[in-house]
Amino acid sequence: MTNGTERRDAEPLWRRLWNNYVVRNVVLAVSLLVIGLFLVNVLLNIFTRHNKYIEVPDLEELTLDEARQLIRRKDLRIEVNDSLYVAALDPGTVLEQQPAAGTRVKPGRRIYVTVNATQQRIVDVPYVAGYSLRQAWNILATAGFRIERLEYVSDIATNNVLEQRVGSRRVTPEHPVQARMGSGVVLVLGRAADAARVTVPRVVGLTLREAESRIWDAGLNVGGIEQDEGIDQKTIRQARVWRQTPDQGSMASLGSRVSLALTLDSARLSKGVSSSDRQAVQAARHAVRERVVRDSLAAAGFSGEQLQFETEWQLKIERGEATPEERAAAEAELIMQSLENYGTAVDASEEEDEFFH
């Protein structure tokens, strides 16, 4: 016993620990865990290509075949997920890509592209009568249509869609209309008597698409579009509005037109933004004065079209843009027109009575 004990005491500490069943199993378990983690890390680096990135090339305006060849050389994949129609570009041209050019991605990443179709698809025009202007615009835009023009008629509710047309064809649930995507839709909207004027939104600095959306959302129409030299169907998406007429903050009648000027020149755009901000201050003063005049006339008993007429002419005279004589002439013309309309209505009523009697 003594000799055996002495031999065990003479053994190195690591051997005594290793001969211990519990210690040996713990060491083996930890070793296996470390080896397993190491192998997992190595395999993850191999299969996920850790720290290996590829810069996405610019595919826009390439043909689909050219884009595919370039993508293969970059060890990426390409997939067409949508198509649009741009008349100025060849069919099959890449219009947009996601992720954008310059983005760093892993090898094998799928790049989604939108290509130019041979022609616009013909689809049903959504029926949007009964919706608000904003809802109708969103529905039409989602379906691939745009607003051609907003028309306003007297109604109890403002910006409620009463009717819609594509060209000369009226869209109804009973008579659906098909048209090419990208076609314009005319919306006929209601206008309450107390909502004839709106504030012109700021669109300077925006792209044409963004500006159109903001103008339509305000109940206004897009007027003439002036383009700097060098802007065409290929570059118009990068162009920005540098001037708008009327200026932001001005008051305008529902359905009025806002004219735009587009540029690719950053210096001109910067000057346009500064000028627009200065003019907005003056427009805001005019808007405040218009509200004061309108409220004063409304308190005096004016309403509806008469309120609008008196407000516009009083402001014109205050600013020196018209004379009292011109206002009187305009009022006389308005009265004559009202009498003519009344006479036409009376004649029609008499003819109807004679027909039934």
Side-chain angles (χ1 to χ4, degrees), residues 1-7:
M1 291 291 294
T2 303
N3 292 336
T5 303
E6 290 177 352
R7 282 198 301 271

Side-chain angles (χ1 to χ4, degrees), residues 8 21 31 46 52 108 134 148 185 193 207 222 274 289 345:
R8 285 196 299 271
Y21 176 79
S31 300
I46 293 173
K52 293 182 179 179
R134 181 172 297 180
E148 178 181 338
V185 179
T207 64
V222 179
S274 300
R289 178 56 185 163

Side-chain angles (χ1 to χ4, degrees), residues 54-73:
I54 297 174
E55 188 173 294
V56 177
D58 187 1
L59 306 178
E60 294 186 12
E61 299 190 11
L62 297 180
T63 66
L64 187 56
D65 289 339
E66 292 171 340
R68 281 177 173 150
Q69 293 175 10
L70 180 57
I71 285 296
R72 288 195 195 100
R73 291 198 298 269

Side-chain angles (χ1 to χ4, degrees), residues 3 7 27 54 64 73 138 231 235 245 257-258 265 280 311 339:
N3 292 336
R7 282 198 301 271
V27 171
I54 297 174
L64 187 56
R73 291 198 298 269
N138 288 333
I231 297 178
T235 59
T245 307
R257 293 181 176 273
V258 179
D265 186 343
T311 301
L339 290 174

